[in-house]
Amino acid sequence: MTRRLCSGLLAGLLVLLLAACAGSAPNEPLRVSVAQFQPLQQQEGAQARYRLDLRVHNPSRWVLGLVGADVQLLLRGKAIGSGVVALDLSVPAFGEGALSIEVGVHDMVAVRQAIGLYGAADRPLPVLLTGHLTRPGLLALPWRSEGELRFARAGGG
């Protein structure tokens, strides 16, 4: 009898735990947008590095705690760069937060080829950023942001 009671209590506790986890997840997918992407000071022969500033929009009624983030930069479907950062960020319910990630671009050949194909001022370069925002307990929330890079005309005009 006690074995059956223990099994029932354990099953009930498991159901409550799963319900609590489901209730703490955002109601809608996160929206992540690029606020800024700028080059960092380069050292001779070093990998090209950029600072990526992101805005995280939390459309849920729960505060979103984040402990880490990762990003992958893709040009024409090819991964050319990546970055990670540890965080201690709370995004308020129905609010937004900001974070920065240092991105290393490891395939400059692909960048140069893409610029050659798309780099005219009237032809923007399509880019895709994908990644995860990590919550406490290692729960990762995927995100993606599509955009384009534009190049200034030679001579500033």
Side-chain angles (χ1 to χ4, degrees):
M1 183 71 165
T2 58
R3 188 175 193 173
R4 190 176 293 179
L5 180 62
C6 285
S7 294
L9 285 174
L10 187 58
L13 182 61
L14 183 60
V15 168
L16 285 174
L17 182 62
L18 289 174
C21 288
S24 67
N27 297 338
E28 296 181 35
L30 292 175
R31 290 187 298 270
V32 177
S33 59
V34 176
Q36 189 168 320
F37 188 73
Q38 69 181 33
L40 297 172
Q41 183 108 11
Q42 304 297 318
Q43 293 185 348
E44 189 70 32
Q47 179 184 60
R49 308 226 29 104
Y50 295 84
R51 188 179 89 211
L52 174 64
D53 295 332
L54 298 174
R55 289 201 193 294
V56 179
H57 305 267
N58 180 7
S60 77
R61 59 185 173 158
W62 310 102
V63 173
L64 177 64
L66 298 174
V67 296
D70 70 83
V71 64
Q72 188 170 37
L73 173 63
L74 296 101
L75 286 178
R76 301 178 64 214
K78 182 176 181 181
I80 61 149
S82 60
V84 295
V85 66
L87 299 169
D88 184 13
L89 177 65
S90 284
V91 183
F94 303 110
E96 68 178 42
L99 63 105
S100 293
I101 301 176
E102 202 169 298
V103 177
V105 176
H106 49 77
D107 193 347
M108 289 306 291
V109 172
V111 174
R112 287 186 188 100
Q113 287 174 348
I115 289 171
L117 292 172
Y118 293 95
D122 60 341
R123 281 186 274 150
L125 178 62
V127 296
L128 173 64
L129 294 165
T130 64
H132 297 87
L133 298 173
T134 305
R135 299 180 65 191
L138 302 179
L139 299 171
L141 304 169
W143 62 271
R144 69 183 276 139
S145 180
E146 295 182 50
E148 50 191 37
L149 295 176
R150 296 186 178 273
F151 299 91
R153 292 183 189 272

